[in-house]
Amino acid sequence: MVSDTPLIELRGIRRRYGGQNGAPEVEVLHGIDLRIAAGEFVAIVGSSGSGKSTLMNLLGCLDRPSAGSYHFAGHDVAELDADQLAWLRREAFGFVFQGYHLIATESACENVEVPALYAGMSAEERRQRASALLTRLGLGERLDYRPGQLSGGQQQRVSIARALMNGGRIILADEPTGALDSHSGREVMILLRELAAAGHTVILITHDREVAAQARRVIEIRDGAIIGDSAAPFGGAQPNPAALPAPSFDGMSLQGAGWSALGEVLRSAWRVMLLNRFRTALTLLGIVIGVASVIVMLAIGLGTKQKVLAQMASMGATTLYLYAAQPPEGGPWGVLSESDLEALGRLPEIDLFTPVIGNPRMVQYGNASRDIYVFASNEQLPAIQHWPVAEGRFFTAAEDQNLAPVVVLGHKARTFFFRDEPNPLGKQLLIGEAPFEVIGVMAEKGRESGADYYDEMVFIPYAAGRARVYQDIAEPEYAALTAASTDQVRAAESAARELLLARHGREDFQVDNAAAKVQAEAETQDSMTRMLGLIAAVSLLVGGIGVMNVMLMTVRERTREIGVRMATGARQRDILRQFLGEAVLVTLVGGSIGVLVGLIGGAALLAAGVPLIFSLSAMLLAFACAVGTGLLFGYLPAKTAAALDPVAALASE
Ligand code: ADP
Ligand code: MG
């Protein structure tokens, strides 16, 4: 049964070009009325420039009319949005162009698969159907040939197979034989006749009357108007009993390709990358340099920061040292007295303090003896140095006052004297002439701290040291003080200066602000790290701009491919994903290589003694930055591609 609703019904269709940007408005189609039933084989014939292609683009929903109405199977096409139009193109139409419009980078089979990709068909099904179609059209041997490796006639057959991939209920062929030799042209016409016989609606556009004569109905067009129709609408047309019906609008699926096609997107992106190896390599280089420098800079930043932190931890970020000195104006050396220290300790800005005498002395245990730095201080030392005791305990204030002969060992001193003994506590060391009992061992400071010389020392109470080891030394050699907090370091320094100036009447001392030095170093390191990070970020940015540049070029070069993809049913979002996929793939590959280069470069720097710490999070960050760059800088070109007008894209060179 043939329904009354024609498959295609045009009423008063006009198409005007121009009228913008000062271009004169030209009307190319002047009110076309046309009805085509399902299963008809129609030729539209007219001389060049008469408006045939314009009409075909309208019929195929690649373009919208300026005026008039187009009903497809009873549905007003003007009411369909972009995604619905893409669905209609995909389900209803198959385009065959004069210039074949195959995607040069894809094989014959893959070209045929394209429309099904956007219809969401599975990869295996696609491949099967495409090879079956190509085999039916006599190209079974050439599935994996690129378009450039096929003759014109063969390419046109590939494009016919592509038109049939999603069913091709309506084949729109614009001068399909125009570029072919007469033999190939005849073959293509035979194919179209067969398709028409099998129930496909075939609309053939040609300027060649002989070709047109092979259709069952011939419509003549001149200067944008129909001047003849071999069948008055429906008058003489024989209904085709085998006619394929219009696709069901009820079952319209706007799902399309979806993310399942991601693999396909990446595969074709990979191929494009390989085909433009040199260009890709240069683009990659930008990303590689960017990512590698981000990784190395972050590692350096982390490494130096860690070093400074370790220094801070061992020296304390609040420590001041006080020395007796010769005043700048000359005169005798100053003397730091214990009462000076007590007065300093009462300053509110000062928290802890200890007098220090330290000199090498002969230290002996059993047969082992060695010249060792013997450090005499009060019980505050572990607190001042932020330095815990590992075994036993430190001496107390009471022991200091009572001249207790006790000693605490540095880590290396313990190893030297008590290598084979599990427990040195309670053992007697001879320092100079005096016996001292070991009551504790300090934790290891280690190389990291930059103060591992402390590990070699032994520590005794100040008063006991004065009485038993340093009888010849009357006053502290220097004093270590701590400020009450990190932000009072400078205040503590000036308060200490003022107090001593008042007490001594002249500047016969020196304050060494170790804390300020460490803090200043930390700040320099921080700003260095920020600078380096900035440079790295800028290089990544430059890499990103490179990606954008190449992507814009790619979009321009492949405008026609984009048109073909749209004509075969790609939605804007599919095009967007494809180009975004290409940009992201470039940056993914570049990011991976960049991570590798960063690791190698970092390892080299590490070997050269630069303190640097790799962190997984820094690497992930750099990688994410790279991919983010791809998304960011790929978006504009991809958006540009997706926004292309299919007709203009197809017409581009
Ligand atoms: P045919 O396919 O019959 O050779 P076309 O439909 O391609 O003819 O073109 C018909 C007329 O419309 C031509 O005069 C052409 O210059 C004009 N034309 C086609 N496309 C555009 C366009 N995008 N902008 C302006 N004029 C156009
Ligand atoms: Mg044309």
Side-chain angles (χ1 to χ4, degrees):
M1 189 199 101
V2 181
S3 87
D4 303 351
T5 332
L7 183 65
I8 284 172
E9 181 169 27
L10 302 183
R11 272 195 233 122
I13 290 285
R14 294 172 184 275
R15 182 66 172 98
R16 291 183 281 266
Y17 289 115
Q20 284 163 342
N21 307 329
E25 194 175 68
V26 193
E27 190 170 270
V28 175
L29 296 178
H30 314 288
I32 302 277
D33 295 305
L34 178 62
R35 303 169 115 211
I36 297 172
E40 279 199 273
F41 183 7
V42 184
I44 297 176
V45 66
S47 56
S48 177
S50 55
K52 306 181 299 291
S53 295
T54 305
L55 181 59
M56 191 193 87
N57 290 335
L58 289 170
L59 286 173
C61 299
L62 287 169
D63 194 10
R64 289 180 187 269
S66 312
S69 73
Y70 175 7
H71 285 80
F72 183 89
H75 295 265
D76 189 353
V77 169
E79 286 170 6
L80 303 180
D81 65 24
D83 278 1
Q84 290 170 323
L85 283 178
W87 170 83
L88 190 59
R89 285 201 291 268
R90 200 157 66 219
E91 294 300 318
F93 298 105
F95 292 89
V96 178
F97 302 95
Q98 175 174 0
Y100 330 127
H101 289 0
L102 299 176
I103 300 170
T105 53
E106 310 261 308
S107 71
C109 198
E110 286 158 351
N111 264 289
V112 176
E113 286 180 43
V114 167
L117 177 66
Y118 298 121
M121 195 185 278
S122 78
E124 197 181 333
E125 219 181 326
R126 274 203 313 265
R127 175 88 194 169
Q128 265 172 13
R129 183 166 163 78
S131 43
L133 278 171
L134 283 170
T135 309
R136 207 172 97 202
L137 299 188
L139 290 170
E141 314 277 281
R142 299 211 164 34
L143 297 182
D144 295 319
Y145 283 45
R146 292 265 163 71
Q149 299 166 312
L150 297 170
S151 75
Q154 289 168 334
Q155 289 187 59
Q156 196 57 298
R157 274 184 276 160
V158 172
S159 90
I160 291 173
R162 180 177 63 192
L164 293 172
M165 187 63 188
N166 281 347
R169 294 162 202 262
I170 302 152
I171 303 287
L172 293 171
D174 189 353
E175 307 270 11
T177 60
L180 300 179
D181 60 83
S182 55
H183 173 70
S184 304
R186 267 196 301 281
E187 279 188 343
V188 165
M189 284 311 296
I190 290 169
L191 259 174
L192 289 178
R193 272 213 303 277
E194 281 173 10
L195 290 175
H200 296 266
T201 307
V202 177
I203 302 176
L204 165 69
I205 282 174
T206 180
H207 65 276
D208 184 338
R209 280 172 192 285
E210 255 179 71
V211 171
Q214 301 182 45
R216 260 181 269 151
R217 175 179 167 194
V218 179
I219 294 167
E220 197 168 340
I221 183 169
R222 185 186 296 162
D223 294 334
I226 292 177
I227 55 163
D229 188 343
S230 70
F234 284 67
Q238 291 295 311
N240 184 346
L244 298 173
S248 158
F249 274 65
D250 299 331
M252 183 187 292
S253 151
L254 297 180
Q255 214 105 54
W259 286 110
S260 60
L262 191 66
E264 196 57 33
V265 165
L266 291 180
R267 186 198 58 73
S268 81
W270 180 251
R271 178 161 312 164
V272 171
M273 271 178 69
L274 286 185
L275 282 171
N276 298 307
R277 275 186 203 90
F278 188 60
R279 190 162 85 182
T280 307
L282 288 178
T283 318
L284 279 180
L285 195 62
I287 294 292
V288 168
I289 292 173
V291 169
S293 50
V294 165
I295 286 182
V296 172
M297 297 312 164
L298 285 177
I300 290 179
L302 207 65
T304 43
K305 179 149 207 160
Q306 208 77 336
K307 193 178 159 195
V308 172
L309 280 180
Q311 273 174 1
M312 276 188 172
S314 88
M315 313 247 266
T318 54
T319 313
L320 303 169
Y321 293 100
L322 200 58
Y323 301 91
Q326 194 174 29
E329 67 273 12
W333 275 66
V335 174
L336 269 186
S337 69
E338 283 164 33
S339 66
D340 282 343
L341 286 185
E342 268 150 38
L344 283 170
R346 283 192 292 274
L347 287 174
E349 294 89 347
I350 301 255
D351 185 19
L352 309 171
F353 70 93
T354 178
V356 178
I357 299 175
N359 279 298
R361 285 287 185 272
M362 187 54 75
V363 180
Q364 195 181 337
Y365 175 71
N367 294 329
S369 70
R370 187 180 228 191
D371 245 359
I372 281 187
Y373 206 85
V374 177
F375 193 100
S377 71
N378 69 16
E379 77 290 347
Q380 309 271 28
L381 183 74
I384 292 171
Q385 294 254 345
H386 303 280
W387 193 15
V389 176
E391 293 173 59
R393 61 179 179 83
F394 207 74
F395 47 80
T396 62
E399 283 170 319
D400 188 11
Q401 259 155 35
N402 300 334
L403 314 185
V406 291
V407 61
V408 177
L409 308 180
H411 176 80
K412 285 185 188 156
R414 180 211 194 285
T415 315
F416 178 75
F417 290 112
F418 300 102
R419 180 177 295 280
D420 303 322
E421 298 197 27
N423 183 12
L425 303 183
K427 301 279 166 25
Q428 297 283 329
L429 281 189
L430 218 52
I431 300 178
E433 311 283 294
F436 280 76
E437 183 189 340
V438 177
I439 58 164
V441 180
M442 300 306 292
E444 183 176 8
K445 285 221 175 216
R447 287 247 323 262
E448 285 287 277
S449 68
D452 54 337
Y453 45 87
Y454 279 108
D455 286 337
E456 297 178 2
M457 302 182 187
V458 297
F459 303 88
I460 57 175
Y462 182 77
R466 281 281 319 282
R468 299 170 192 273
V469 182
Y470 296 125
Q471 296 93 340
D472 50 333
I473 300 174
E475 304 290 350
E477 290 181 337
Y478 69 96
L481 311 168
T482 62
S485 70
T486 38
D487 33 303
Q488 283 188 42
V489 170
R490 288 189 193 284
E493 182 185 347
S494 38
R497 265 182 201 291
E498 271 172 41
L499 182 83
L500 286 178
L501 262 176
R503 287 175 69 95
H504 293 196
R506 54 181 202 143
E507 201 182 334
D508 58 354
F509 57 88
Q510 221 172 358
V511 182
D512 180 2
N513 197 336
K517 275 186 207 154
V518 172
Q519 282 178 10
E521 193 182 350
E523 273 156 32
T524 336
Q525 296 290 10
D526 261 7
S527 59
M528 270 285 278
T529 307
R530 268 198 295 277
M531 275 292 292
L532 293 176
L534 196 69
I535 293 170
V538 166
S539 70
L540 195 57
L541 189 77
V542 172
I545 292 171
V547 170
M548 176 142 82
N549 192 16
V550 162
M551 288 309 298
L552 282 172
M553 242 150 73
T554 307
V555 169
R556 177 165 295 199
E557 282 169 2
R558 286 155 65 199
T559 303
R560 205 162 69 191
E561 173 191 329
I562 296 165
V564 171
R565 289 182 185 273
M566 286 176 161
T568 58
R571 298 160 308 168
Q572 294 191 330
R573 147 172 32 143
D574 296 320
I575 302 293
L576 185 81
R577 274 178 202 171
Q578 186 192 341
F579 283 88
L580 214 48
E582 289 184 15
V584 170
L585 187 69
V586 169
T587 47
L588 266 177
V589 173
S592 310
I593 301 176
V595 168
L596 212 67
V597 170
L599 283 175
I600 294 170
L605 285 176
L606 202 60
V610 179
L612 124 180
I613 296 176
F614 289 118
S615 76
L616 188 66
S617 54
M619 263 170 257
L620 289 178
L621 181 75
F623 203 72
C625 278
V627 177
T629 308
L631 282 173
L632 190 72
F633 289 94
Y635 187 77
L636 179 71
K639 192 82 189 161
T640 312
L644 284 174
D645 168 28
V647 176
L650 276 172
S652 84
E653 282 310 306

